[in-house]
Amino acid sequence: MADKITCGELASMMAAETLHAVFDVRERGEFNVCQIAGATSLPRSQIEFRIAELVPNAKIPIVVYDDDSGRAGLAARTLAQLSYLNVSVLEGGLTEWANAGYPTASGVNVPSKAFGEKVHHERNIPEITPEELRRLQLQAGEVLIFDARTPEEYRRFCIPGGVNVPGGDLVLWAEELKQKREATLVVNCAGRTRSIIGAAILRRLGVGNVRALKNGTMGWVLAGLELETKPSRETPEPPQNSRAKAATLAWRVAEEENIPSLTASELNAICESENTEAIYLVDVRSESEYTAGHIPRSLSVPGGQAVQRADDFIAVRHSRVVFISERGARAVMAAYWYRQMGFRHALVLDGGLDTWRQNGGSIASGLRRNAPLGLEAARKLAQFISPTDLKSLPRETSPAVLDVGSSLDFESGHIPGAKWISRGWLEFKIPEELPNRAQRIVLSCPDGQNSILAAGACKELGYENVLVLDGGLQAWKAVGYPTEAGLASYLSQPNDIVLSPSVRGDKDEMKRYLDWETKLGH
């Protein structure tokens, strides 16, 4: 049984400068509606996949909460099974917290977005409206549009003529853009935050003629203008001279702002020690650069995303965050923003990855994808069924097929006849749907991992005949078996995914979102 913590005790913990993490273990959509201010979203179904990165030291105090539905207690049990030593459940959950008058918030990535609005107001970041930008594009002057979103977002659609330069990479362009005194320089994102921060980065580095596109691609759509879909332009490389001078510009900022740094030998000693603190190593280069070579244990979080989604990656309050890039330019700017956001222990690897290599530091390659904690133990206890054997089962003995992947994956394709359920709701919903504990159940998900973890929960509920589709839907499709799309059949509310209004394309939703984001500044 997990320890309990009262709302007053949690409020005191969050106000103190001690290491701790607070997790909302409900679905992402529930978190989006209302949450404890300053908490991190960690749905139950993601605990085994994300906790090792979110809390890199098992001794750190962790508090989990829900809406007093019972999910927090199960989450605490999972964390204890994964060897986390100091886990408490908030008594009364979010409901009691709100009733007691403690602060709540709505939306996702609230701290970063509120910070973006603060920067906008305090630094008077100039904006350009979509209509003004379109008029300039139709005139003869030079207009350069830098899309600060991720490459994945950019490939869906962009402002016509825009080029993808993810926000963290803008420092590499600063020297080049200083020479473009007659051009109109515009930074855009989907909404507001990355546009504002991107423009602020360039202004801090001495680029004066840059503006943020007001309300980003959503503002463009709401102005009745057409986006360019599926742009084929590759992300351009910054000019060599500009890239070479980026480190000088950034380290000058580090000196002016008193941003501390660690030497390669100091970082190596930390990595090899059994410390009692929480330290995050955050590589802010592009995913392709990270894949080519990175420091072991470091996370790949390209700079713009590191600022935009700080609470998604740094869960332990008052932890040390060490930013890493090739020569330090992008790392310095990430640390600069984090310290502005209140991460007082944000610092930089001195000399960047170049110096780390020169000092004989070890380098790993590929994307860091550790197996979920507890997966191998669960695999040994699971029983599997191959796609061929499942397909060949007689109709009269057909099992209940439950898909425990994301609702978005289920909607795009699943085994015909399957029903979707969030793994976070298994213990509560399956007994209602399948009261016969002898019922044969087949669990599926995209790659089979969530299914293996879910099988253990089903067996604990007393189900005697639980099978895991070996290899998941990927294996099913590899054999050539058909799938069906849609989200018509589900056992728990499909609120595990929160999509940006820019992806959904709903104009009313865009207006509500932009109004919410703008009000964060107040």
Side-chain angles (χ1 to χ4, degrees):
M1 180 71 68
D3 292 336
K4 296 284 189 178
I5 185 171
T6 66
C7 292
E9 290 168 338
L10 175 58
S12 296
M13 175 186 285
M14 296 180 77
E17 294 196 7
T18 55
L19 296 173
H20 66 275
V22 181
F23 291 118
D24 187 319
V25 298
R26 302 171 302 149
E27 303 296 331
R28 187 76 163 175
E30 295 174 274
F31 178 85
N32 185 46
V33 173
C34 186
Q35 71 219 228
I36 291 176
T40 294
S41 174
L42 180 62
R44 274 195 69 209
S45 58
Q46 295 181 20
I47 288 175
E48 295 90 343
F49 294 83
R50 299 205 61 216
I51 191 63
E53 292 182 351
L54 287 172
V55 184
N57 188 324
K59 298 176 183 177
I60 300 295
I62 295 173
V63 177
V64 294
Y65 75 88
D66 57 12
D67 51 3
D68 209 22
S69 61
R71 287 174 285 175
L74 294 173
R77 187 178 69 171
T78 297
L79 289 167
Q81 291 169 345
L82 299 176
S83 300
Y84 283 82
L85 305 175
N86 193 347
V87 183
S88 302
V89 175
L90 178 63
E91 283 188 314
L94 177 64
T95 304
E96 182 66 26
W97 177 273
N99 289 340
Y102 292 110
T104 61
S106 63
V108 296
N109 306 128
V110 175
S112 294
K113 291 174 182 178
F115 173 71
E117 294 302 319
K118 178 183 176 183
V119 170
H120 177 245
H121 289 291
E122 292 185 352
R123 304 195 185 192
N124 196 27
I125 302 300
E127 291 183 312
I128 185 170
T129 67
E131 295 86 349
E132 290 171 332
L133 176 56
R134 187 58 186 153
R135 284 195 294 271
L136 286 174
Q137 285 183 313
L138 296 175
Q139 296 170 2
E142 185 178 14
V143 180
L144 300 177
I145 303 170
F146 294 92
D147 190 317
R149 299 174 301 157
T150 65
E152 293 75 20
E153 292 173 280
Y154 176 80
R155 283 193 286 268
R156 293 191 195 106
F157 50 75
C158 68
I159 304 299
V163 296
N164 184 216
V165 179
D169 289 0
L170 286 168
V171 60
L172 304 179
W173 287 81
E175 191 65 30
E176 171 72 9
L177 296 181
K178 286 181 183 179
Q179 316 309 317
K180 302 282 186 178
R181 295 182 179 86
E182 303 303 318
T184 299
L185 309 178
V186 178
V187 179
N188 82 272
C189 65
R192 296 178 56 80
T193 306
R194 287 172 288 180
S195 305
I196 293 166
I197 296 299
I201 285 173
L202 293 174
R203 289 170 64 82
R204 180 63 180 81
L205 295 171
V207 182
N209 54 327
V210 59
R211 290 185 272 178
L213 176 61
K214 187 174 183 178
N215 297 333
T217 59
M218 285 189 270
W220 189 269
V221 171
L222 292 174
L225 300 171
E226 292 291 326
L227 292 167
E228 179 183 350
T229 58
K230 297 182 179 179
S232 58
R233 292 181 294 280
E234 294 294 325
T235 296
E237 288 292 326
Q240 283 300 319
N241 180 58
S242 187
R243 177 186 281 270
K245 290 189 176 181
T248 301
L249 290 174
W251 286 107
R252 185 181 302 153
V253 170
E255 183 178 356
E256 292 168 356
E257 301 288 344
N258 296 315
I259 298 172
S261 60
L262 277 176
T263 66
S265 58
E266 288 171 334
L267 179 57
N268 188 58
I270 290 171
C271 291
E272 293 182 350
S273 68
E274 291 291 333
N275 60 76
T276 58
E277 58 180 319
I279 298 178
Y280 297 90
L281 309 184
V282 182
D283 191 317
V284 294
R285 300 171 301 153
S286 69
E287 186 176 287
S288 60
E289 291 174 285
Y290 177 89
T291 302
H294 59 268
I295 296 174
R297 282 184 48 191
S298 63
L299 309 177
S300 175
V301 190
Q305 293 302 97
V307 177
Q308 161 87 349
R309 298 171 52 200
D311 60 315
D312 279 340
F313 303 109
I314 312 301
V316 178
R317 289 190 173 207
H318 313 298
S319 56
R320 279 206 283 181
V321 187
V322 182
F323 289 102
I324 302 161
S325 61
E326 200 66 37
R327 295 179 59 196
R330 287 172 282 183
V332 166
M333 298 315 299
Y336 166 74
W337 287 122
Y338 266 57
R339 292 177 73 83
Q340 297 282 319
M341 281 193 283
F343 291 85
R344 295 189 297 106
H345 304 292
L347 58 162
V348 184
L349 174 60
D350 194 5
L353 202 61
D354 280 357
T355 302
W356 175 267
R357 290 192 186 96
Q358 292 165 11
N359 281 268
S362 59
I363 295 292
S365 60
L367 281 177
R368 182 186 175 196
R369 287 200 177 101
N370 296 331
L373 296 182
L375 181 66
E376 290 311 309
R379 189 190 303 276
K380 292 175 183 177
L381 299 175
Q383 293 178 286
F384 294 87
I385 185 170
S386 69
T388 303
D389 288 344
L390 176 58
K391 188 74 167 62
S392 63
L393 286 175
R395 183 178 297 274
E396 61 272 16
T397 62
S398 293
V401 180
L402 303 180
D403 191 307
V404 293
S406 76
S407 61
L408 197 63
D409 286 329
F410 181 86
E411 186 175 17
S412 65
H414 54 266
I415 294 171
K419 295 182 178 181
W420 181 80
I421 182 170
S422 166
R423 192 162 67 86
W425 280 107
L426 273 178
E427 291 87 346
F428 305 92
K429 300 296 185 181
I430 290 185
E432 298 175 2
E433 179 72 16
L434 304 171
N436 179 9
R437 296 302 201 271
Q439 165 79 56
R440 177 183 285 176
I441 298 173
V442 173
L443 297 167
S444 175
C445 66
D447 61 6
Q449 292 187 337
N450 252 312
S451 306
I452 291 170
L453 295 168
C458 290
K459 289 182 178 179
E460 285 188 9
L461 290 171
Y463 289 92
E464 305 165 3
N465 197 352
V466 180
L467 300 172
V468 173
L469 178 61
D470 199 5
L473 191 68
Q474 293 174 2
W476 177 271
K477 293 195 294 186
V479 181
Y481 293 147
T483 61
E484 63 182 14
L487 190 51
S489 185
Y490 50 84
L491 303 184
S492 63
Q493 286 298 314
N495 57 0
D496 58 313
I497 300 292
V498 176
L499 291 177
S500 166
S502 65
V503 175
R504 292 188 182 279
D506 184 314
K507 291 187 177 181
D508 288 335
E509 195 176 343
M510 291 180 189
K511 291 175 184 176
R512 287 192 295 270
Y513 173 84
L514 292 168
D515 182 59
W516 166 81
E517 192 168 20
T518 302
K519 287 178 179 177
L520 288 175
H522 304 289

